[in-house]
Amino acid sequence: MPLMAGLMARFADQRPFGQLAIAACLHVTAETAMLVRLLRAGGASVGLAASNPLSTQDDIAAALAVRHGIAVFARAGVDRRGYYRHIEMALSEPPGGPDLVIDDGGDLVNTLHTQAAALLPRVKGGCESTTTGVIRLRRMAAEGALAFPVIAANDTAAKRLVDNTCGTGQSVIDGILRATNTLLAGKTVVVAGFGACGRGVAERARGLGAQVIVTEIDPVRALDASLRGFLVLPMAQAARVGEVFVTATGTCDVISAAHIAVMRDGAVLANAGHFDTEIDVRALAGLAAAVRHDVRPHVDAYELGDGRTMLLLAEGRVVNLVAAEGHPPEVMDLAFGIEALALAWLAGNTDKLPAGVHEVPADIDAEAARLVLATMGTSIDALTPAQQAYLESWRIGS
Amino acid sequence: MSADQLPYHVADISLAAFGRKEIQLAEHEMPGLMAIRAEYAPSQPLRGAKITGSLHMTVQTAVLIETLVALGARVRWASCNIFSTQDQAAAAVAVGPDGTPDDPRGIPVFAWKGESLEDYWQCTEQALTWPDGDGPNMVLDDGGDATLLVHKGAEYEQAGGVPSPAADDPEEWRIILDRLRNSLADHPGKWTRIAGNVRGVTEETTTGVHRLYEMSRAGTLAFPAINVNDSVTKSKFDNKYGCRHSLIDGIKRGTDVLIGGKVAVVCGYGDVGKGCAESLRGQGARVVVTEIDPICALQAAMDGYQVATLEDVVATADIFVTATGNRDVITAGHMSRMKHQAIVGNIGHFDNEIDMAGLARWPGVRRLTIKPQVDEWTFPAEEGRAGHGIIVLSEGRLLNLGNATGHPSFVMSNSFTNQVIAQVELFTRTGEYPVGVHTLPKHLDEKVARLHLDALGVRLTQLTKEQADYIGVPVDGPYKPEHYRY
């Protein structure tokens, strides 16, 4: 993770988080460990909880606690109650509560506002790592419920490209292949949602020889998918022909009982979105006469009364993290590098930002991309002064 | 002077300067031919060769002709299709690189765009008729028409006369018989003498190769033949990469339609269909393939294409391309059910893949020519449906040639380098090729590919002796067994 490794020295020198406490709610993986160590190098004390009950890599959690002195509250396979208990514990470390927060999905910020509001006055701001969380935060802000500024660290041009399109695109395919070992060539793959993630999944499935159908609710994205040569159908029609389904929408009930009712025998259902609400797993269970768990690791076979079987991957949770290893380190290096740079900028500028959701400043995004390019050995051009003047002037034409 | 003794017959000799500029551009894109010139010109392996060529008289063919000349050959040329001559190329070849329109120093060429069938066979005979009264000693053929004329002439001379055409014979056959009848009367023994002098023919295309194998089986083939068509560097490049390039070029020049987002149906997933499907997908079309062969159908499915029957998609697709090599693939009935403004075109060799005759006979159908090679055919309104029009490209003939300019120079450089190497092989090693149909040995196929690598900046890896021994091939090739499919 060369970007964060490079930032490690910079942060150790500048100590942007001197004496600050940070509460973080993130997938506890090797890449997250690097981010937490970077925050530590920058002077912060960190309390860490998992942002998903299944995604914790227990060896990483143990190493963070033992070798790096991080207050970690995470265990793979924890139940719902334990999951939220862990978030509350991360928020109470140190006892006065955090100065800054990092969230991934919005559960920590939500818990902070609803279960630990007494800690809110101390919180100066935070970062949110994922689209789902940003959507929740914007709703909170719209209702006036968000008490501090949050930077939508997910939403930068560089991150959308590398993390969502490339990282999610690759690792979702990886998760499906590891879970099912199915040949995608010749299969009909239905991708719900043609945002940055869905596009990445759709393009990669096509690259493996699948026929890809896209479902969308946004006409601009649907047009984009069409012009890229994908068949765009409503889910009600796609459900009848698909063999592998991937949801990447950020919303709930994308695959519902009515869709399951018309699906082909042996359909594979996978979710690439953050929450397990995109596939209506409860409805699936309701339709099933029997469920055979773990027919392969992370594959549950739902036997419907009519003789069809649906294969649900990762219990409908985010398949790339559960059935594979999440994003490759290069992707998380950029994502977390941006997040660390943004949080460092926020630490020095909290008084300038009102409560609400804010974009990552464009120069931070550019700085992160520039550092990554340097690690890849890629050189790029710079505008000449004459070009700069041309771009800034409205007087000069041809 | 009779027409047979004209030094050349082209549409407009003043087009030579334009043709020469195009030839110079093409030379840069034909590195194989230029490398052959550099390699062989000093040793003049074709000195003494008298080559009659019958092959589309295009700019690329001009580079082929001048390569043969550079290797020492004397050459006479006709086109092998009444529409395919590029008149500026014919003029430039007649004038030659060192001549002027007033003082032409090129080769005798008999070709112009828009010949009648009578013109066409006269041009073919002129190309076969050398001023010394003898014929050629080598033939370079595309489709087999020059070879056919020599063989039929000799056959009828031995039979003592030319038969009368049967009532149901095609018009073209009657024209061929008339020409041979006159020829036998004017120059008795001419064709037998030519057939005896020809050392061999190199054949460019599937159709001609098919004729040669038939003659060989029947025992009527008079001289050895090299099947250039089945060199990998010919057929794969023509069929796949050539069509991949020129299909969308033809569709765009013909219609200027945005291909992204359209549903395009490719009928046939052989080499041509594979190239077509790839280029359409690359432009953002959603491609549906139709096939009759389960292997090709499975290939298409594994490549991620929907495979359907034409009936499944005929009413919903936007673009239809036939690439099957078979007849009646798109019928008038299909076209009557298409969307308004659906585009229909053929990239297969013959014009029978789309049933144009059936379309013209459809009750109430009207044809409106939008521009050359682009027609809108309007079907009358019927119960429950307003009248709809479809766009037919190139009257159902090869749309990549009709609406665009066919294969680009680089692709033709591969084909024609095979042709030149085959000519050198047959002319200099005649004894090693008995009468029959031969393919070029694989090391020469590999050589053709090798000659094109530098121009693309390709850096080839060299086998070590140990590696070569390990897989049992020579370090310098050939690397693959004859049955390898590439």
Side-chain angles (χ1 to χ4, degrees), chain A residues 93-105:
Chain A
E93 176 68 38
D99 301 288
L100 296 167
V101 298
I102 297 183
D103 209 352
D104 182 355

Side-chain angles (χ1 to χ4, degrees), chain A residues 54 179-180 266-270 279 281 284-285 288 290-304 308-317 319 322-323:
Chain A
L54 297 183
T180 64
V268 172
L269 309 179
I279 300 168
V281 177
L284 177 62
V291 182
R292 286 184 291 131
H293 290 285
D294 283 332
V295 293
R296 289 170 55 90
H298 307 301
V299 183
D300 295 331
Y302 285 72
E303 295 175 353
L304 309 184
R308 290 177 302 137
T309 300
M310 302 286 122
L311 300 174
L312 178 68
L313 306 192
E315 301 175 21
R317 294 177 191 279
V319 70
V322 179

Side-chain angles (χ1 to χ4, degrees), chain B residues 247-260 262 283 319 341 343 370-371 374 391 393 403:
Chain B
L247 171 77
I248 55 168
D249 189 10
I251 293 174
K252 288 175 180 178
R253 292 201 209 190
T255 67
D256 200 28
V257 74
L258 178 72
I259 293 175
K262 296 294 193 297
Q283 298 285 311
I319 299 169
Q341 302 265 300
I343 295 166
I370 311 289
K371 59 182 180 179
V374 181
I391 309 292
L393 299 177
N403 295 88

